[in-house]
Amino acid sequence: MFAGSLALGALATRKSWASVPEAAAALRRTAPAGSIPHLPPMRVHMDQLTDIKVCLRPFRPMGPRLDVEKIGDKTVIHNYGHGGSGWSLSWGSANIAVGKAAATLKESVAVIGCGVIGLTSALTAQRAGKTVTIYTKALLPHTRSVRANGSWTPDSRVALTKPAGPEFAAVWEQMARYSWRTYRDYLGLPGNPIDFRDNYSLSDIPFDQRHLPPPAPGVGDYSTTGKPQHTSEFADYGDLIRDIIPNPEDIDPKDNPFPVAHARRANMMMFNFGAYGHLLLSEFYQAGGKIVIREFHNPADLKSLPEDVIINCPGYAASDWWQDKTLIPVRGQTNWLPPQADALYGVEYRGAALLSKTDGVMVQGLDFTHTLGEMIGVGNSFEHADRSEAEKAIGIFEDLFARMGKEHV
Ligand SMILES: Cc1cc2nc3c(=O)[nH]c(=O)nc-3n(C[C@H](O)[C@H](O)[C@H](O)COP(=O)(O)OP(=O)(O)OC[C@H]3O[C@@H](n4cnc5c(N)ncnc54)[C@H](O)[C@@H]3O)c2cc1C
């Protein structure tokens, strides 16, 4: 805690938010530039598998829905559709939604949903002085939010460049900067609700030779088929916040601790769901928040609520209960192994990702074929575990660490 407050104290005197990862390095959570720490190989085998989680990313081609709608005399402010970026953008998105709620000058606010978007909206409304009740079918541990991967991925399948247009790019930047800044408050706390770790990208061929194939002729695109057809249609907004996000660092082959030709490293912010979720819920209750377990079936149900202002955060479920047909499911599966506290780092290799966090080792298949990129899972609403996908992803790291064990320990 003392080290944490020293690092955060130092941050407060600096002008640039780029120093957040520096604070993480000062806390010895990430390696200083140019140095390679001892990286213990991890125990990654199918017999360690404790859970397979499947989730649908709530993807809207035009970006998250943040408009205001009137249902009778109720004012509904939507806050859903954050694709693969909900954890990352949550605070910034909540800030926009609560700004609209505050403009109504009503004292009480209802929030529908208790995923990461609902919880951060509720907390932001409390911080703006509102009395808040969350109405939800399920609490955070049972939402799609906790079936995510849990890292800073603010423009992962959050929009398509063309339908979203430059207006959304500006809104995205505002959300990303606000969230990044808010996460500073949660660094260095007991239990590490928000953490920084090193993430290693590994490649058998030089990074600049890795390219996805171009779109096949005649497949069309979102404007002609109603669905994206190629990864190049997805928005890439990373350059808008390049000044605050740590750059990756190529690892000199002579220092490369992995038995793979090419390695690159970046500081990565990550969310430890257990500690962070618990903290958010505790903060909400401590500020006098109430939670009511309730399921809504159609917008007219809102008329029975005592609150006149409602922030609607149902995630992908908006496709049912709000009949929002702009939502496109993007299936994703995360496979969980027990935490390995002595090896807290991330690796990406051969189309799979591994993230060792205090709440478990997460292994995820991304694109085993190296041909699909962001198209993986698009339009797929199959929300059941696929064991063969887990086997494939885990096998990649089992093999890597076996080679590493022999050659580098
Ligand atoms: C595999 C995978 C990996 C991901 N990795 C990351 C990542 O690393 N970083 C990142 O930033 N994002 C990531 N995401 C995206 C992120 O998980 C989502 O954007 C985010 O969880 C959406 O949160 P939400 O609160 O809008 O929705 P949800 O978590 O689905 O919450 C919706 C809430 O609304 C309630 N609700 C729904 N319908 C009703 C109803 N009819 N009546 C009452 N209550 C209702 C639910 O019970 C729930 O409480 C990932 C997603 C997936 C699938």
Side-chain angles (χ1 to χ4, degrees):
M1 276 294 282
F2 179 62
S5 39
L6 277 185
L8 289 171
L11 273 173
T13 62
R14 299 181 68 106
K15 288 193 198 105
S16 160
W17 299 337
S19 53
V20 171
E22 285 169 23
L27 292 164
R28 298 227 168 261
R29 309 194 77 73
T30 57
S35 72
I36 305 290
H38 172 62
L39 295 173
M42 289 179 221
R43 197 169 169 207
V44 184
H45 313 289
M46 272 308 275
D47 68 4
Q48 298 292 299
L49 186 67
T50 54
D51 198 7
I52 300 181
K53 295 181 178 174
V54 185
C55 166
L56 304 180
R57 296 171 182 88
F59 171 67
R60 294 179 84 237
M62 58 297 288
R65 185 164 184 198
L66 284 160
D67 62 321
V68 181
E69 199 175 343
K70 276 282 192 189
I71 300 291
D73 56 359
K74 307 287 185 191
T75 303
V76 180
I77 298 132
H78 295 294
N79 190 9
Y80 66 79
H82 299 76
S85 303
W87 284 90
S88 311
L89 295 177
S90 55
W91 289 107
S93 196
N95 186 46
I96 292 174
V98 170
K100 293 178 181 179
T104 64
L105 303 179
K106 298 281 184 182
E107 155 34 50
S108 300
V109 171
V111 172
I112 311 275
C114 195
V116 68
I117 299 294
L119 254 182
T120 49
S121 297
L123 280 162
T124 305
Q126 285 178 325
R127 290 172 191 178
K130 304 292 174 194
T131 303
V132 183
T133 303
I134 295 177
Y135 297 88
T136 187
K137 193 167 121 184
L139 293 176
L140 183 70
H142 302 115
T143 62
R144 290 192 169 104
S145 288
V146 294
R147 300 186 223 144
N149 148 337
S151 48
W152 172 259
T153 57
D155 63 347
S156 167
R157 283 169 289 183
V158 70
L160 300 181
T161 312
K162 274 198 206 147
E167 302 78 20
F168 176 66
V171 172
W172 178 89
E173 181 177 352
Q174 183 190 339
M175 292 195 288
R177 285 181 186 274
Y178 189 93
S179 285
W180 182 259
R181 194 176 49 192
T182 306
Y183 277 122
R184 286 172 55 182
D185 298 341
Y186 291 95
L187 275 174
L189 296 178
N192 299 304
I194 303 301
D195 213 346
F196 262 90
R197 293 290 173 183
D198 285 325
N199 191 52
Y200 293 84
S201 298
L202 310 181
S203 180
D204 299 313
I205 59 168
F207 287 104
D208 58 9
Q209 287 176 21
R210 299 198 324 177
H211 302 294
L212 288 176
V219 294
D221 62 7
Y222 172 72
S223 68
T224 55
T225 66
K227 244 178 58 183
Q229 299 296 330
H230 191 262
T231 205
S232 55
E233 291 177 66
F234 286 88
D236 177 357
Y237 299 130
D239 281 346
L240 297 174
I241 54 168
R242 207 51 82 201
D243 57 318
I244 56 167
I245 303 300
N247 282 324
E249 177 192 356
D250 282 332
I251 295 187
D252 194 308
K254 73 175 171 14
D255 299 327
N256 183 356
F258 296 97
V260 174
H262 305 276
R264 188 173 265 181
R265 174 174 68 190
N267 287 170
M268 186 193 253
M269 185 197 273
M270 58 180 72
F271 317 113
N272 288 310
F273 296 141
Y276 183 50
H278 182 70
L279 185 57
L280 294 186
L281 270 172
S282 306
E283 282 184 20
F284 177 68
Y285 281 125
Q286 276 163 20
K290 285 201 197 99
I291 297 184
V292 176
I293 301 296
R294 178 165 171 190
E295 181 170 359
F296 298 88
H297 299 285
N298 75 62
D301 290 353
L302 297 182
K303 291 185 186 151
S304 62
L305 294 183
E307 295 83 3
D308 291 333
V309 179
I310 296 147
I311 305 180
N312 184 32
C313 315
Y316 183 73
S319 63
D320 282 337
W321 98 272
W322 209 270
Q323 289 293 303
D324 183 340
K325 297 306 168 199
T326 63
L327 277 158
I328 298 176
V330 182
R331 182 186 184 276
Q333 174 169 312
T334 52
N335 312 293
W336 293 83
L337 289 77
Q340 297 188 34
D342 60 331
L344 295 171
Y345 59 94
V347 188
E348 274 178 43
Y349 184 45
R350 292 189 176 166
L354 173 151
L355 198 53
S356 174
K357 309 194 291 175
T358 56
D359 58 2
V361 175
M362 190 283 317
V363 180
Q364 188 182 15
L366 300 174
D367 176 13
F368 300 127
T369 64
H370 305 287
T371 57
L372 293 166
E374 302 282 61
M375 285 304 295
I376 279 283
V378 172
N380 184 348
S381 59
F382 185 70
E383 219 169 356
H384 295 279
D386 176 349
R387 202 174 159 85
S388 66
E389 184 180 322
E391 273 166 12
K392 229 178 198 168
I394 286 175
I396 288 169
F397 294 107
E398 181 167 1
D399 174 59
L400 175 77
F401 289 126
R403 282 154 53 200
M404 197 169 157
K406 283 190 198 111
E407 296 165 35
H408 288 268
V409 176

